[in-house]
Amino acid sequence: MGLVDGLNTVLNACQLAGRCPLPASAVIVTAYSGNQLLGGAGMVVATRIANASSSNRVLLLEAGGEPSILNGIPSMDFFLLNQQANTWIYNSTVQNKSCQSCDGKRALTTRGKMLGGSTSINFMMYVRGNKEDFNRWATDAGDNSWNYENVLPYFKKSEDYNGAFAGDASSSQYHGKGGLLNVATTDYMPGADDFLAAAAEKGYTIGDYNGENQEDGWRESTYRAFYTDTGKPNNLCIKKYAHVTKINFRNVGGKPRATGVTYQRHNLTRTVTARKEVIVSAGTFGSPKLLQLSGVGPARHLQSLKIPVVKDLPVGQNLNDHAYTIVGPFMKTPSLNPNRDVTVQAATQFLLSGNGALAAPAGLAGCAFFTSPVAEPAYPDLQVVQFSVALYPELSRDLNRLWGLRTDILDNWFDPYQKQNTDARFLVLWAGRPKSVGTVTLKSTNPNDNPNIDPQYLVHPDDTEALLFGFKKIVDLFENSNALNTTIFPKPVPGCENLTFKSDDYYRCVIKNLSGSLYHHVGTNALGKVVDSKLKVKGIDGLRVIDASIMPRVPNGNTQAATIMIAEKGSDLIIADM
Ligand SMILES: Cc1cc2nc3c(=O)[nH]c(=O)nc-3n(C[C@H](O)[C@H](O)[C@H](O)COP(=O)(O)OP(=O)(O)OC[C@H]3O[C@@H](n4cnc5c(N)ncnc54)[C@H](O)[C@@H]3O)c2cc1C
């Protein structure tokens, strides 16, 4: 176990479970009690409802604990993934068209298990998605309140924009000021300048796709932005280490109504009643799993596990995610080498000014969008991020932790450059509007079992073709621009050596081997299919889902901004009903 692993485990073990300031009975007898299963979205909803009126009583139940101080340091994201202490470590089912260089050909699909959910461990990129994504959501929901024009105020509501374009005349049209979430650029983006210069040479437009990267200092998870930094409302009770295992229902006038939940905490099983409604914000895997365990899901699947069916709904279907591939590496300076750049001086700079190498999510430097010929409708369907990370001796191990890529394959591929600490840039390219769709189903009725996650990455052939198009664009950008002027890594990817280097088939082979999850899972309780446009579970009273699982399709952008928007809109819907 490395130093960071060890420290994180100790810090997590040292947390006190904490007592709720309110006895549980107070939660259920007041005018409003929502049982909030909390995460990235849940923290937003809980604090918004609690702050709306002091007579509201909100109980949050979270399976994990609090983020440790290490989670607050942006550059630690790369090293803190997949730790038992505060992550749900999931593996997908075996994939046939992707992930061939992953352990067991399975995609690693980590989620955060702590207050703030995955926003406490993610890479902090703030990218909303294309306006057409939301216009299509409105069609899916059958309700124009979800179109871009109508969701933009909710993006702006939570935002305190201090990004690169804050001085622009049009900034206030698209960005919020004074919201709880600080959105800003970092001063540490190795190689961003020449990446953008090369893009300009090639005639790409350079501008604000909404504002990138967050925070000039510590991580701003939803836990920090909406709760600890803004006063902790005393009508919001948080129970950590509370693993919810079931939503309870009773029949009211022939219709099921959610009455509360059952949860396990410190080996005890407890039930709590919600006077008004139950709000599920357990994320794209946790929410469908809990609904299915409670009898809400595809009837045939539930019956196969002998779970009494409360409501037959396509819960767990429509899993969307961004499948990534790796383009490069291109051996070029500057880049981040943790062995060289994460120093005592860097730590001092971070502590004194909130800047420097520790303030930046590991090596992320520049982001771009492309439209491939298979995009339907024709607007950007590819996103790429420059990941400026050197080939340092432990890189294979760290990429294994990040994506489950096999260390033996990476060691072989990077040899001998990895031993020589060679500066390098990787480009992480993903299918931003994938056509492949997967599922989340129960493995068993045991709430402690992980669900079956089958993302079906790249099963639709257009997804590979879109990635191939982007792959060639990036190689051209690096090889044929004055600003970058660097050829792709000379060694073929192991497993693709028999194909003509840099041919289309060679690139398709790379995509099939070096691919997996970008951790942007959404869609398992889709708007219009499982929840209505007010986020109420169809055919059930007193039950809403408010998290990334309600997105009917993944936007062409990173998903936390859209999740927080959903949480802001969902909070208003609840408050309007109170
Ligand atoms: C490694 C990683 C990197 C990412 N990078 C970015 C990025 O750079 N930019 C970006 O925009 N997005 C990024 N994302 C995605 C983003 O973090 C998610 O879209 C967002 O956090 C989703 O929020 P959520 O509320 O739906 O779920 P989560 O944030 O996953 O929260 C779910 C919460 O529910 C809790 N929970 C689950 N089941 C139960 C249960 N039964 N009982 C009690 N509690 C339960 C979990 O412990 C967790 O706290 C990343 C995600 C990961 C994992």
Side-chain angles (χ1 to χ4, degrees):
M1 186 184 279
L3 182 63
V4 173
D5 302 27
L7 196 51
N8 191 46
T9 306
V10 171
L11 288 169
N12 274 282
C14 290
Q15 290 179 25
L16 298 175
R19 285 182 67 80
C20 272
L22 299 167
S25 58
V27 178
I28 58 174
V29 296
T30 51
Y32 177 90
S33 74
N35 285 330
Q36 180 68 35
L37 312 190
L38 135 93
M43 196 77 244
V44 181
V45 182
T47 47
R48 289 291 188 208
I49 299 172
N51 286 327
S53 163
S54 58
S55 62
N56 297 338
R57 294 285 179 267
V58 185
L59 170 65
L60 280 88
L61 301 169
E62 163 57 46
E66 269 178 65
S68 80
I69 191 167
L70 295 180
N71 292 109
I73 304 173
S75 62
M76 288 290 112
D77 50 8
F78 200 28
F79 311 101
L80 287 174
L81 288 168
N82 297 312
Q83 306 226 349
Q84 291 287 351
N86 49 17
T87 43
W88 302 86
I89 302 176
Y90 296 131
N91 277 299
S92 77
T93 55
V94 175
Q95 300 296 293
N96 296 320
K97 304 287 184 191
S98 62
C99 308
Q100 300 302 290
S101 296
C102 298
D103 288 329
K105 301 186 179 175
R106 295 167 190 269
L108 204 55
T109 46
T110 304
R111 309 306 294 170
K113 185 180 185 178
M114 62 193 122
L115 294 169
S118 302
T119 69
S120 298
I121 55 161
N122 73 17
F123 285 89
M124 299 173 62
M125 291 191 63
Y126 183 88
V127 188
R128 293 174 181 171
N130 192 290
K131 68 177 180 188
E132 289 309 324
D133 293 325
F134 305 103
N135 291 337
R136 296 173 86 203
W137 285 18
T139 308
D140 294 322
D143 184 340
N144 265 340
S145 73
W146 286 94
N147 69 18
Y148 177 69
E149 188 192 350
N150 289 319
V151 299
L152 181 59
Y154 289 109
F155 278 114
K156 291 169 74 175
K157 182 176 182 181
S158 48
E159 193 179 22
D160 186 17
Y161 183 60
N162 297 296
F165 301 92
D168 287 7
S170 63
S171 176
S172 61
Q173 187 182 345
Y174 296 103
H175 291 289
K177 202 66 199 144
L180 299 179
L181 189 71
N182 180 21
V183 176
T185 50
T186 162
D187 72 330
Y188 187 81
M189 289 191 282
D193 290 349
D194 53 26
F195 181 70
L196 292 178
E201 268 182 55
K202 289 279 174 192
Y204 294 112
T205 311
I206 297 179
D208 174 18
Y209 51 78
N210 70 50
E212 188 188 345
N213 270 324
Q214 299 163 297
E215 269 281 70
D216 50 347
W218 298 85
R219 167 186 293 277
E220 204 156 71
S221 64
T222 56
Y223 174 54
R224 186 178 153 198
F226 288 81
Y227 185 68
T228 56
D229 277 6
T230 36
K232 306 173 179 176
N234 59 14
N235 54 341
L236 166 57
C237 170
I238 296 180
K239 280 190 191 286
K240 296 178 277 186
Y241 308 107
H243 182 177
V244 180
T245 54
K246 197 163 183 272
I247 304 163
N248 302 315
F249 300 98
R250 84 183 139 86
N251 192 307
V252 180
K255 197 176 179 191
R257 177 175 184 88
T259 55
V261 299
T262 300
Y263 63 95
Q264 292 170 346
R265 188 161 185 255
H266 308 317
N267 294 324
L268 293 174
T269 300
R270 296 183 187 278
T271 294
V272 63
T273 306
R275 179 145 177 201
K276 187 122 189 207
E277 62 181 302
V278 173
I279 301 150
V280 177
S281 301
T284 295
F285 304 133
S287 291
K289 178 180 152 186
L290 180 61
L291 287 170
Q292 291 177 15
L293 282 171
S294 312
V296 182
R300 278 176 59 184
H301 174 54
L302 302 183
Q303 283 155 356
S304 72
L305 292 166
K306 300 192 169 38
I307 297 173
V309 179
V310 174
K311 185 76 193 161
D312 180 12
L313 286 172
V315 171
Q317 312 297 297
N318 191 51
L319 174 64
N320 275 223
D321 187 19
H322 290 144
Y324 78 87
T325 191
I326 296 173
V327 186
F330 297 87
M331 292 187 282
K332 184 156 183 69
T333 58
S335 69
L336 170 77
N337 182 333
N339 295 335
R340 178 192 60 204
D341 303 325
V342 180
T343 58
V344 172
Q345 287 92 325
T348 311
Q349 184 187 4
F350 177 69
L351 290 172
L352 293 179
S353 69
N355 286 326
L358 268 72
L364 298 184
C367 172
F369 298 86
F370 302 106
T371 306
S372 82
V374 298
E376 291 168 311
Y379 71 88
D381 63 339
L382 288 164
Q383 188 178 345
V384 63
V385 167
Q386 182 175 234
F387 184 42
S388 300
V389 172
L391 295 160
Y392 59 95
E394 301 81 15
L395 179 65
S396 302
R397 180 204 64 192
D398 290 339
L399 289 177
N400 176 263
R401 173 175 289 189
L402 175 61
W403 282 316
L405 292 168
R406 276 173 46 187
T407 44
D408 58 325
I409 291 177
L410 296 177
D411 281 343
N412 173 10
W413 187 29
F414 296 150
D415 187 63
Y417 303 96
Q418 185 170 234
K419 293 184 192 120
Q420 297 162 358
N421 281 295
T422 311
D423 274 295
R425 315 266 186 92
F426 293 80
L427 283 299
V428 182
L429 169 72
W430 59 91
R433 293 195 286 126
K435 296 179 184 171
S436 307
V437 174
T439 55
V440 175
T441 50
L442 294 177
K443 208 170 275 171
S444 77
T445 55
N446 181 348
N448 295 313
D449 275 356
N450 286 342
N452 281 316
I453 298 168
D454 181 7
Q456 299 267 308
Y457 292 127
L458 308 183
V459 164
H460 195 298
D462 281 1
D463 293 346
T464 299
E465 293 313 298
L467 287 171
L468 173 65
F469 174 86
F471 208 116
K472 292 197 285 190
K473 284 275 176 206
I474 294 161
V475 173
D476 177 56
L477 185 75
F478 269 79
E479 296 195 338
N480 303 313
S481 64
N482 293 322
L484 289 167
N485 192 24
T486 310
T487 52
I488 198 166
F489 196 61
K491 291 181 70 183
V493 170
C496 304
E497 305 92 333
N498 57 340
L499 295 161
T500 305
F501 192 55
K502 293 169 73 171
S503 64
D504 282 7
D505 280 345
Y506 170 77
Y507 290 146
R508 285 192 187 97
C509 176
V510 175
I511 292 166
K512 186 173 179 181
N513 279 274
L514 297 179
S515 44
S517 172
L518 206 82
Y519 300 118
H520 293 163
H521 308 90
V522 307
T524 48
N525 293 306
L527 257 177
K529 292 179 177 155
V530 174
V531 295
D532 66 16
S533 64
K534 307 272 187 244
L535 305 181
K536 294 179 175 173
V537 176
K538 289 184 163 191
I540 298 179
D541 285 333
L543 182 63
R544 292 189 217 236
V545 181
I546 306 184
D547 59 22
S549 74
I550 69 100
M551 299 186 199
R553 48 186 94 221
V554 67
N556 191 23
N558 309 51
T559 44
Q560 78 169 346
T563 304
I564 293 170
M565 175 277 284
I566 290 165
E568 292 283 20
K569 186 168 162 59
S571 306
D572 269 10
L573 292 169
I574 294 167
I575 292 164
D577 279 356
M578 283 162 59

